[in-house]
Amino acid sequence: MPSSTDSRAAASRPQLTADRVVEAAAAVADREGLHGVSMRRVGGELGVEAMSLYHHVAGKDALLDALADWLMVRVERPSPDGPWREAIAARCRSLRAVMRDHPWGPALVESRRAPGMTLLGHLEAVLECLHRGGFPVQLAAHAFSVLDAYVYGFVSTERSLPFEPGGGVDDLAAELALPADVFPRMVELIEQAIVGRSYDYADEFEYGLELVLDGLEARLGEGPAESVAR
Amino acid sequence: MPSSTDSRAAASRPQLTADRVVEAAAAVADREGLHGVSMRRVGGELGVEAMSLYHHVAGKDALLDALADWLMVRVERPSPDGPWREAIAARCRSLRAVMRDHPWGPALVESRRAPGMTLLGHLEAVLECLHRGGFPVQLAAHAFSVLDAYVYGFVSTERSLPFEPGGGVDDLAAELALPADVFPRMVELIEQAIVGRSYDYADEFEYGLELVLDGLEARLGEGPAESVAR
DNA sequence: ACCTGAACACCGTTCAAGT
DNA sequence: ACCTGAACACCGTTCAAGT
């Protein structure tokens, strides 16, 4: 038997690494929300004391930075080939899907100060895709800004809206205690737009996405020369 | 001298009320960020122990709900008269201005589960404005969704972007350690779109806002009858 | 080298006690 | 009625000590 790797616990407990720490943090966040991600609890997830984590991550802030990176790795980058509109639409849907699967995502990304390398690489891929699609630099900046604002905003507001997607909507107005004389438009919207037709909030996402893409396509067609000159 | 209001401290320290507690919380948030809003610190802001707050707010969660309400009170509601586009644009700019003045706003709103009465009243005003502008219910729902997603998303992403608005941008690429061979599009964007012209991120907000409003106006013009029928 | 126990300065909240 | 001190169960982080 070798003498260097003979610790008793090593067999049942694989080596602690930065990656395993981040993975554990993601698991805790998925289960208990961003609020539940504490050094002690992430340590517990790995069968280790909280203080052990400090040998692999600089601190909680660094761990959250790494967790934000973990999230962006999961977002599909737009393929630089093929029509830009399809590629960009696909990456926007992917971004939204990742945030839906990990509801703590928007709040985490929002709380981070500087963008990580994975996020920067992702943005680079988006810009490259737009560039090949014929977007001059200035218009690409606009496109990037409005697209990301829309997608992040959508996933952020989606959960705080009065109607919960997929939930029962019959007693919704009653649940919110929305008197029809004070909130007539709101009650009307809930009744007509949700009750009575199979309301899927995913359709809402697509509607806005197409609206934004239409706007960008129109401005792209207005003539790239003008954008470059001014 | 009256006997009911003779406490010594009462003169120097006005009555503690729920409103004053929320106001103090806002002051702490403005000064130290959302992270700094603790019961103990809000109490300290009022010259009172943390436990005293519990006589006026149910707990920290209730205090944060009230703080989110405090924020929405400051957002200008769209006037129901006049053209819808101007009214809606003004309220979007107001929403953004409030969030700029209180950078903890997006994270706070994002963290709240259910919308407060002030937010509901605000949404009602937006829907009423759109209704008078000729929006059928379904299109109003779309408009409301895409507009709020854009505005919230914009203020949320604005602070986590690589370029800090108003800051020095000359050494930006170096600061981010962005090698031009790995991030060519990014470096190009920073150089051409920011350095060399007076880049104001406020313009970016207007650009996207007009794009979204253009899209809504076009869909409104396509014929409201169709939206109602389907 | 990697892990840990004890310790420090913080949290939100409860509760019995003060006025 | 309103305020508070002590207490409880938590935090992130440091540091000296273990192996």
Side-chain angles (χ1 to χ4, degrees), chain A residues 13 16 40 48-49 51-52 55-56:
Chain A
R13 194 204 282 171
L16 210 56
R40 281 169 170 88
V48 118
E49 298 300 314
M51 305 79 199
S52 306
H55 292 272
H56 301 96

Side-chain angles (χ1 to χ4, degrees), chain B residues 27-86:
Chain B
V28 172
D30 281 342
R31 200 184 331 113
E32 318 189 36
L34 199 56
H35 206 76
V37 180
S38 73
M39 298 301 273
R40 281 170 171 87
R41 253 201 276 248
V42 172
E45 183 82 10
L46 294 162
V48 116
E49 298 301 314
M51 304 80 198
S52 306
L53 306 180
Y54 285 84
H55 291 272
H56 302 96
V57 294
K60 191 182 181 183
D61 236 52
L63 174 56
L64 292 180
D65 279 338
L67 190 55
D69 240 56
W70 181 94
L71 212 58
M72 285 314 291
V73 167
R74 269 135 196 92
V75 180
E76 193 184 302
R77 296 193 179 189
S79 85
D81 309 315
W84 68 269
R85 184 160 171 153
E86 273 319 301

Side-chain angles (χ1 to χ4, degrees), chain B residues 75-94 121-135:
Chain B
V75 180
E76 193 184 302
R77 296 193 179 189
S79 85
D81 309 315
W84 68 269
R85 184 160 171 153
E86 273 319 301
I88 294 291
R91 95 97 212 194
C92 288
R93 290 188 196 103
S94 173
H122 184 89
L123 299 185
E124 175 71 21
V126 170
L127 290 178
E128 176 66 25
C129 178
L130 292 171
H131 172 76
R132 298 207 190 177
F135 282 70

